[in-house]
Amino acid sequence: MGKASASDRRVTNAHKKEKFAPSPIPAETVLPWSRNDTIAITSLTIVAAALRLWHLGYPPGPVFDEINFVGDAGAYLRREQFFTPHPPLTIQLIALGMWLFGDRPWSWRLGNALVGTALVAISYLLGRRSFGSRLAGALAGAFVALDGMFLIDSRTGVLDIVYVTMAALSYLLVLRFVQIRDSADRRRTLVFLGLALGLCLGAKLMVPIIAVILVSGSLIYTLETEAGVGIKRRERHRKVVGALLLTGSIAAIVYFLVFVPNFIILRWGGIEAWWRYVNATRWFESHMNAGEKTFWSDGRASPWWNWPLMLHPFIYWQRTTPDRSLATVWFASNPILCWSALGAIAVTILRLFRRPTFTNVFVVAGYIGFLAIYMPVSRTLYEYHYMPALYFGYLALAGILARCWRGETTRFEQFIMLLALVPAAELGLGFIGGSIALASLFAAWSLSFRNRGLSAQLVCVSCATAAFAAFIYFAPLYFAMPISPAAFQSRMWMRGPGAADWSCCPIK
Amino acid sequence: MSKIKLLLSAIASWGILAIIAPAIPLASQNLLTNGDFASGGGNSPAAWTPESWVSSPDTRYRWIAPFDNNPGELEIETTNTVNDARWVQTVRLDPGWYHIHAQARSENVGAGPGLAGAAIGILEFGTRFDQVKGDSDWTEIGFYLNVAEPSDVRVVLRLGEPWQYNSGRAFFRDAVVERVDGPAAGAQVWNLSEARALWSGNRLSILPVFIALSFAAAIGWRMCRTL
């Protein structure tokens, strides 16, 4: 610790001396690991595992895109050639489950369930490190654990949870890099960072490039702005080049290693076959982008601007049971969390103007970056494409609510966070019930103004409690638990016509 | 004398046979085992294996044994969901041309664009074959395959394809793989070598990539000794 402090002082002095060096954005304080951390991360992991593993074999057949990716995994095991535009890591994970435990639904889904559980633990560590707060870590982990999209993607054999988890791991590692000073430790961190980024790139086509840009930008910024005493610009550039070379090369090695099973099992002919895969993918994507409205186009699709408002989640799977109940897998976020995350991003952007921290810049850049990558895309897009951006939304939400708990937010910020609860109250409780609930909430908040800490804590508790209640309320639709058609309809808060429709298109 | 007659008649017989033989279609020999689906036990036809792209309780396979004057049939049924479901048999083919065909009919098979119907084909990536969709009566479907070197080929009777999954019921009868001199004019033709060339190449060509990247990583590691 003493060594690090001395190093920190050197860094500070260096900035005083280096006239032209850009001023660094402060990173949050690093917390020492405590027993509370162990308890929190263990509890979150147990809860997340229970939610992700419970009744994993139901539905008993393919759900949504499982027809593609579980099929691809089966083709691996049969040594049958197949084409998917996505790099094969997640498909290999599904195939591994099938190889180990047989071709049955729970074994298709087991790998994703474990990865999705790991994401909750990573989110705790990331939230804790990002905001220097155990509460922020616990909230970040809990939000990911209780969100419908993250939960359902962990319980089905589809792609997104794996690359989102690897991206989260790379955010954690880059933040660690920013916050530590020991050269050897930093170099080791870069190796693991390359590993995480390679796995991220190996799990989904194109989208992880935003994670790579975020991480690379963070490395460049950190190394360029924290020059030590007497370190010249050239030396700084050497560090930047070295860090990017080390991380990038390892990421590329891991990315190509992901394809090795294709070379061995599917008898792909080396780099030539990989290049043909790249060209086939380009053809595939260009035909999708060319607006060929054939089997790609369906009512479940939604444009990027729909996602933050949660206007168009859709049904992954639905069946009528013999007693006329409806069992549904509804791919949707937790509405309280989704809308609150949007409020938290707004608050975080406002905070950037007052006190830009590394974390706040990183979170806002990540959120906007993962939305921006879809803005020019003309092919059909779906709500699940919002997951990597929403992840940053949950980080922001955890940070803001933790600050609320500590009484470090302004009334305006608290007001924005309460405002995010309005649509859920009005849609979920009806106009009269929702208005009464909101009036009571805002009245209680106003009455607590005399104690600033209390009013902020009220916001924190209100958001967290409402999110938990919403999870319980929507849980039957996340777990395909049979409910009456009336109960199903009551949960469809938006029913169109137009973009705002939650009940779209059960798959036959 | 009788020996001479016998010899002459033998020569004449061989001569006639030599003249007639090219005219006898090689096609008469079905290289598929149990291509007429006449034998089997329970719900399983001999020599054919059911295989689903994704295992699903909503995809079912049935062997309909011959009865009265009706030939044996294979059925695939996918309801409530979509799938690529097939009956599969592997055959060893020597170099040459082959006509691979069967009769198929469909019930309630999705007919929209991007939906693959009932077809006989080979399990090679990128190949597409004649299909029947919607509600159709018995239809002869098939194609010609050119084989350049002795190969194991997986012949499939299928409903749906990867990325073009479908549902409904498909029935097949009289599946045949027969050797022919060449393809009929205007018929669908596939070349096995070309189909298998898509992912071909030298597997070891990936090694220089790993070596170059490892070298770059080592340089990066060295450059990062002080950070």
Side-chain angles (χ1 to χ4, degrees), chain A residues 358-394:
Chain A
F358 177 88
T359 303
N360 285 352
V361 173
F362 191 81
V363 164
V364 171
Y367 183 84
I368 293 173
F370 275 113
L371 271 183
I373 193 172
Y374 290 109
M375 289 177 190
V377 175
S378 59
R379 57 162 276 199
T380 47
L381 297 168
Y382 301 90
E383 187 87 7
Y384 61 78
H385 288 115
Y386 184 48
M387 281 176 65
L390 183 60
Y391 186 76
F392 282 103
Y394 287 162

Side-chain angles (χ1 to χ4, degrees), chain A residues 68 103 187 238 269 276 508, chain B residues 55 80 165 198 200 221 223:
Chain A
N68 290 318
D103 185 2
R187 190 158 67 160
R238 180 194 62 78
R276 277 187 216 116
K508 285 185 178 178
Chain B
S55 298
N80 295 323
Y165 313 98
L198 184 63
S200 65
W221 176 262
M223 289 172 79

Side-chain angles (χ1 to χ4, degrees), chain B residues 30-220:
Chain B
N30 188 352
L31 301 174
L32 286 172
T33 305
N34 193 27
D36 57 0
F37 316 127
S39 60
N43 205 20
S44 304
W48 291 90
T49 310
E51 190 176 278
S52 298
W53 181 248
V54 174
S55 298
S56 169
D58 294 325
T59 297
R60 290 168 289 275
Y61 300 86
R62 198 156 69 100
W63 170 54
I64 304 167
F67 64 98
D68 299 335
N69 288 325
N70 297 299
E73 294 176 22
L74 294 187
E75 181 191 348
I76 297 169
E77 181 182 23
T78 298
T79 51
N80 295 323
T81 185
V82 290
N83 212 337
D84 164 15
R86 327 108 173 207
W87 287 100
V88 186
Q89 183 179 138
T90 303
V91 286
R92 181 80 178 167
L93 298 183
D94 291 324
W97 281 98
Y98 295 87
H99 186 202
I100 299 176
H101 58 101
Q103 291 189 0
R105 88 179 164 85
S106 58
E107 286 180 13
N108 202 26
V109 170
L115 298 172
I120 183 170
I122 54 170
L123 210 56
E124 297 294 340
F125 180 79
T127 51
R128 307 293 302 278
F129 304 97
D130 289 343
Q131 300 164 3
V132 292
K133 296 183 184 180
D135 293 297
S136 80
D137 205 349
W138 288 109
T139 309
E140 181 76 16
I141 50 175
F143 62 98
Y144 288 84
L145 179 71
N146 182 238
V147 179
E149 56 189 43
S151 308
D152 285 330
V153 175
R154 301 185 79 201
V155 176
V156 289
L157 301 161
R158 79 197 313 182
L159 174 60
E161 286 177 19
W163 295 92
Q164 302 211 353
Y165 313 98
N166 212 334
S167 61
R169 297 174 80 188
F171 300 85
F172 301 92
R173 68 185 187 192
D174 294 328
V176 176
V177 174
E178 56 190 353
R179 187 152 185 187
V180 294
D181 292 334
Q188 188 183 33
V189 172
W190 285 99
N191 188 316
L192 187 64
S193 310
E194 284 176 14
R196 288 183 175 176
L198 184 63
W199 303 111
S200 65
N202 183 355
R203 271 197 262 187
L204 295 178
S205 63
I206 195 69
L207 281 180
V209 176
F210 281 123
I211 292 167
L213 288 171
S214 302
F215 189 65
I219 294 171

